[in-house]
Amino acid sequence: MTAALGDRERAELLRLGTATLYEAARRDCFLPHRLRPAWPGAALVGRALPVWAAPADNLALHAALDSAEPGDVLVVDGHQRACGYWGEILAVAALARGVVGLVIDGGVRDVARLAQLGFPAFSASIAVRTTVKQDAGRIGQPLELGGVTIERGDVIVADDDGVISLPAADLEQVLDAARARDRAEAGYLERIGAGESTLDIYQLRRLLGPG
């Protein structure tokens, strides 16, 4: 079992956003850029439940919901297949279980209904092609997407900028660094508003060479 994130922690992670958290983490924690929100404005924060699904087969996703806990995000290796692994029925079932979102390296469908339901999904494609239900897959075991290993309970954050995975043990350290970065960037924006150049704020002029 993994401890669910609190409402305040979730809200702060969403406010800071993937770009700031990624920079603060100082590690390659970003998942493949092909994973995009299935509907405008989708965003999520939750604990990872890794799911390996056989190509074009969504039986593992049904099984994962049966073992998911409130606050989980299903992170699915769908082998980049443009198939409708996930749609309205599974989204309704996920919400009933307290699952807070889906990240899948494969396809989803019924995106208008996902938006109406407010169920955030990030996928490699939107596709109507059907799937089979033959392979139970693997649930809760470490998964690699784009060179990033995702463990059960890692913290997943996704927004318009992308999807990142943070090791649970590093969360407080990353949050502290992200808060500091957020404060620094607020100061930079004030200085830009006052007329300063980004070359001076970031001390970049010395890199331009004689000129």
Side-chain angles (χ1 to χ4, degrees), residues 53-63 65 83-90 109-110 128-137:
D57 188 323
N58 79 343
L59 178 57
L61 280 74
H62 288 268
L65 283 182
C83 298
Y85 285 89
W86 186 275
E88 178 183 4
I89 298 297
L90 283 172
R109 61 187 184 186
D110 300 335
V128 296
R129 184 182 174 194
T130 192
T131 55
V132 297
K133 296 170 178 56
Q134 298 175 347
D135 190 314

